[in-house]
């Protein structure tokens, strides 16, 4: 893809690489995987794509655990089953608003298939990140409070935990999206899940991940049993608010 294009040289429709848009529009969550192994060089390419993603402050404190050993996968399978079953008994019990019941039933069937065949998953990628402790000085905190004002400073105090979680996540998930795009481009199936967080301590213990390292996803990767196809999403006109929020 040629990135050295000025606005005057760009195509009239603004699409510098239509193939990229085609890739994004067919990134369905493919949960039925063949047991065939994924070569290490392809998995390394996925991690390389993730590393190319932006990281807040360019801190680059991410780490990736890549599981391919069938024995380790078999050890993780019961944990995966417990997490999936807990999800399906609660949040996943009902179809999301606006989703056809039949379509949701097919999605649940795919989730159950992945659960029941998890030990056969060729590869599993766990993105990890350890956010550094902030370096705060009295002078800086005073300037911070002056710039925000008393109301906003108090509000930040109330939402600091959420702010920190979003700051850390913003350093990880752009890379994860790169990984998913790369997988689709290579013909690999990959879907992001966070169900493992229900038993994160147990997952960390099984994988030897340090206690102070946060995990952000469990991404099964493999060759798909089905075919990629167009995703079903809400139209842009239904989700965009131009210049300011407008009720519909």
């Amino acid at each position: 893809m040629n990135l050295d294009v000025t606005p005057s040289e760009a195509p009239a429709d603004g699409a510098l690489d239509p193939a990229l848009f085609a890739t994004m529009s067919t990134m369905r969550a493919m949960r039925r995987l063949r047991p065939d192994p994924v070569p290490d060089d392809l998995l390394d390419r996925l991690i390389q794509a993730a590393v190319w993603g932006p990281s807040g402050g360019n801190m680059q404190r991410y780490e990736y655990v890549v599981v391919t050993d069938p024995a380790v996968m078999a050890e993780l399978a019961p944990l995966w089953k417990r997490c999936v079953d807990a999800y399906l008994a609660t949040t996943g019990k009902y179809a999301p608003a606006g989703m056809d019941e039949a379509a949701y039933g097919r999605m649940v069937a795919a989730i159950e298939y992945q659960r029941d065949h998890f030990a056969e998953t060729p590869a599993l990628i766990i993105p990890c990140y350890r956010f550094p402790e902030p370096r705060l000085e009295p002078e800086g905190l005073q300037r911070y409070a002056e710039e925000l004002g008393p109301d906003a400073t108090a509000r930040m105090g109330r939402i600091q935990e959420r702010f920190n979680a979003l700051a850390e996540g913003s350093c990880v998930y752009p890379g994860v999206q790169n990984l998913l795009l790369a997988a689709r481009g290579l013909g690999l199936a990959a879907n992001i899940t966070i169900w493992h967080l229900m038993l994160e301590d147990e997952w960390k213990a099984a994988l030897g991940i340090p206690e102070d390292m946060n995990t952000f996803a469990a991404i099964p990767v493999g060759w798909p049993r089905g075919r990629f196809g167009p995703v079903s999403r809400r139209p842009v006109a239904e989700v965009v608010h131009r210049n300011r929020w407008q009720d519909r």
Side-chain angles (χ1 to χ4, degrees):
M1 181 174 67
N2 178 21
L3 297 179
D4 299 323
V5 179
T6 66
S8 62
E9 296 171 330
D13 63 0
L16 297 179
D17 188 358
L20 174 61
F21 286 81
T23 297
M24 290 188 291
S25 70
T26 57
M27 285 178 57
R28 295 167 62 180
M30 306 287 281
R31 298 181 174 89
R32 292 183 171 90
L33 307 178
R34 304 202 316 253
D36 311 65
V38 178
D40 286 343
D41 65 312
L42 291 188
L43 294 173
D44 286 348
R45 292 183 71 183
L46 299 187
I47 303 303
Q48 177 63 82
V51 168
W52 283 333
S55 176
N58 197 29
M59 287 182 287
Q60 303 186 35
R61 295 172 65 89
Y62 36 67
E63 308 280 349
Y64 294 88
V65 178
V66 181
V67 181
T68 56
D69 186 336
V72 178
M73 207 73 72
E75 184 180 354
L76 296 175
L79 295 177
W80 182 272
K81 182 180 186 304
R82 289 170 62 190
C83 293
V84 171
D85 287 348
Y87 167 77
L88 291 177
T90 52
T91 305
K93 189 174 183 178
Y94 305 101
M99 187 175 187
D100 178 79
E101 289 287 347
Y104 187 64
R106 291 191 294 271
M107 188 178 88
V108 170
I111 291 172
E112 291 174 337
Y113 179 94
Q114 188 177 53
R115 175 198 64 194
D116 297 341
H117 295 81
F118 186 82
E120 303 166 17
T121 302
L124 184 74
I125 299 176
I126 313 288
C128 305
Y129 203 90
R130 182 190 285 115
F131 208 70
E133 288 294 325
R135 292 181 294 181
L136 302 176
E137 301 173 350
E139 296 83 0
L141 289 172
Q142 181 178 346
R143 180 67 182 275
Y144 172 93
E146 290 172 352
E147 293 293 340
L148 295 184
D151 291 343
T153 299
R155 186 163 59 246
M156 280 300 299
R158 293 192 296 271
I159 68 165
Q160 193 63 49
E161 184 176 354
R162 175 171 176 257
F163 183 89
N164 291 346
L166 289 173
E168 194 172 26
S170 70
C171 294
V172 181
Y173 290 123
V176 169
Q177 182 64 11
N178 270 12
L179 187 155
L180 297 175
L181 278 167
R184 174 65 187 90
L186 293 170
L188 289 164
N191 69 290
I192 181 173
T193 72
I194 60 169
W195 296 326
H196 78 288
L197 292 175
M198 301 178 192
L199 294 171
E200 186 181 27
D201 288 349
E202 289 83 350
W203 281 77
K204 284 183 177 181
L207 295 172
I209 298 173
E211 290 185 9
D212 63 342
M213 178 70 75
N214 289 328
T215 65
F216 285 82
I219 306 171
V221 178
W223 303 106
R225 288 189 178 274
R227 293 181 295 178
F228 293 100
V231 299
S232 298
R233 298 291 187 268
R234 294 170 62 191
V236 171
E238 288 188 9
V239 301
V240 68
H241 301 261
R242 302 196 183 279
N243 298 317
R244 63 180 67 247
W245 187 278
Q246 298 179 10
D247 292 329
R248 296 183 175 85

